[in-house]
């Protein structure tokens, strides 16, 4: 694994249609609580499975020193506040989290990075599916459990994402770049 200070994302690696999305990934025990819900919803949709993650933001055409951000993220744990749904493909069914002081500091740290970009207001959440969910009633107790305990995050995952994300094929095309412990 490359050192955070050595990770470079150059114009050659990224086109205008791609960004580097920074995902916060839950620790193993929380992933094991969330992943089965994502998997069952994906199966019902005929959609690709994806790992549980919370998008912190994106950068494009940047040489980034992630060390300050990793320091701020150390020990991050967030409290879920609600299950919500929207007509937006990437926010169709999700668990929303409170914005703690630590998370706000991490987001501010990322916003200061050259090449930071954001298309929408920061709304910390973990998506349970992309696109309209199919049959969620049989998962109601599992979904309720997702709201019952804080989620600890232990990794920062950099993902190459082509924009816009509007289809399951777009989701399937996401590519991991690098991962860092926090």
């Amino acid at each position: 694994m490359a050192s955070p200070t050595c990770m470079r994302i150059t114009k050659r690696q990224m086109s205008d249609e791609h960004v580097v999305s920074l995902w916060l990934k839950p620790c193993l025990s929380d992933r094991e609580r969330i992943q089965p819900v994502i998997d069952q919803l994906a199966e019902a949709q005929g959609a690709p499975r994806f790992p549980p993650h919370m998008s912190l933001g994106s950068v494009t055409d940047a040489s980034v020193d992630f060390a300050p951000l990793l320091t701020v993220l150390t020990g991050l744990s967030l409290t879920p506040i609600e299950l919500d749904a929207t007509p937006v493909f990437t926010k169709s069914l999700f668990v929303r989290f409170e914005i703690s002081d630590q998370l706000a500091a991490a987001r501010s740290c990322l916003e200061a990075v050259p090449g930071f970009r954001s298309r929408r207001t920061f709304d910390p959440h973990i998506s349970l599916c992309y696109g309209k969910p199919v049959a969620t009633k049989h998962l109601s107790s599992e979904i309720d459990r997702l709201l019952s305990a804080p989620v600890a995050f232990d990794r920062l995952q950099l993902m190459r994402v082509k924009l816009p994300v509007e289809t399951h094929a777009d989701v399937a095309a996401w590519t991991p770049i690098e991962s860092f412990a926090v």
Side-chain angles (χ1 to χ4, degrees):
M1 174 169 72
S3 140
T5 57
C6 294
M7 179 63 195
R8 300 245 186 248
I9 301 159
T10 64
K11 194 175 243 180
R12 185 176 307 154
Q13 292 171 301
M14 307 307 297
S15 75
D16 292 342
E17 298 177 314
H18 289 84
V19 296
V20 175
S21 184
L22 284 77
W23 290 2
L24 295 174
K25 293 179 75 175
C27 68
L28 179 60
S29 61
D30 289 326
R31 279 195 313 268
E32 289 174 342
R33 197 165 45 107
I34 302 165
Q35 190 69 61
V37 174
I38 291 172
D39 291 349
Q40 288 180 52
L41 289 169
E43 185 175 331
Q45 291 176 308
R49 292 179 167 100
F50 55 89
H53 64 277
M54 185 182 73
S55 296
L56 185 60
S58 300
V59 294
T60 175
D61 186 28
S63 296
V64 179
D65 176 2
F66 288 105
L69 178 60
L70 296 173
T71 299
V72 174
L73 290 170
T74 300
L76 180 67
S77 181
L78 298 174
T79 303
I81 55 176
E82 68 179 334
L83 180 70
D84 203 355
T86 73
V88 176
F89 179 78
T90 55
K91 284 185 73 177
S92 58
L93 182 66
F94 58 94
V95 175
R96 180 175 283 126
F97 291 88
E98 70 176 8
I99 300 178
S100 67
D101 290 344
Q102 183 181 8
L103 181 60
R107 175 66 180 209
S108 291
C109 184
L110 179 60
E111 288 174 357
V113 169
F116 169 79
R117 64 176 283 166
S118 178
R119 290 185 160 186
R120 57 184 175 208
T121 303
F122 184 51
D123 183 15
H125 67 277
I126 291 180
S127 291
L128 301 178
C129 68
Y130 296 119
K132 187 175 179 175
V134 180
T136 59
K137 284 192 181 223
H138 71 287
L139 292 171
S140 61
S141 64
E142 288 90 342
I143 290 172
D144 287 344
R145 266 200 329 261
L146 299 181
L147 299 172
S148 68
V151 173
F153 296 86
D154 67 357
R155 306 238 23 107
L156 178 67
Q157 175 74 57
L158 306 182
M159 295 293 290
R160 180 181 163 98
V161 175
K162 183 177 182 280
L163 298 177
V165 179
E166 298 175 332
T167 68
H168 291 130
D170 295 334
V171 173
W174 292 342
T175 308
I177 299 171
E178 184 68 71
S179 178
F180 305 103
V182 297

